[in-house]
């Protein structure tokens, strides 16, 4: 499972992340890069939520964006 919401919702979530978290999306993408080497989408979402106290939607949007930028979004988890 990589994304259950529309592209528009994804973009809206991404645009609110800096305001809600105090950090730009690029910092969160780097956190995923620097974090544990989880392969599964939901493991990375859970790690962001637990380690950084992110809301589920924000964590999911970050991981999805990470996958999009890394060319892995087409994989099925």
């Amino acid at each position: 499972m990589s994304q259950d919401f529309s592209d528009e919702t994804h973009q809206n979530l991404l645009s609110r992340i800096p305001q809600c978290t105090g950090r730009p999306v690029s910092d969160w993408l780097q956190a995923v890069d620097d974090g544990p080497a989880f392969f599964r989408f939901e493991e990375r979402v859970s790690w962001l939520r637990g380690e950084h106290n992110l809301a589920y939607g924000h964590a999911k949007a970050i991981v999805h964006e990470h996958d999009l930028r890394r060319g892995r979004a087409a994989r099925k988890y």
Side-chain angles (χ1 to χ4, degrees), residues 17 21 23-32 48 52 54 62:
I17 286 171
T21 67
R23 294 172 62 181
V25 172
S26 60
D27 282 3
W28 291 113
L29 297 174
Q30 188 64 49
V32 174
L48 278 174
H52 297 285
L54 291 177
I62 290 165

Side-chain angles (χ1 to χ4, degrees), residues 3-72:
Q3 182 182 4
D4 291 333
F5 39 70
S6 70
D7 289 339
E8 180 181 358
T9 299
H10 175 68
Q11 292 305 316
N12 287 336
L13 282 166
L14 284 181
S15 71
R16 288 193 307 259
I17 286 171
Q19 178 185 5
C20 294
T21 67
R23 294 172 62 181
V25 172
S26 60
D27 282 3
W28 291 113
L29 297 174
Q30 188 64 49
V32 174
D33 278 340
D34 295 342
F38 294 123
F39 179 72
R40 291 183 56 233
F41 184 90
E42 286 298 329
E43 290 175 326
R44 291 180 281 147
V45 171
S46 293
W47 175 77
L48 278 174
R49 292 184 71 207
E51 186 72 21
H52 297 285
N53 199 32
L54 291 177
Y56 179 72
H58 290 149
K60 193 171 178 178
I62 290 165
V63 173
H64 182 66
E65 186 67 18
H66 184 269
D67 286 353
L68 286 174
R69 292 186 185 194
R70 303 309 184 276
R72 297 186 300 194

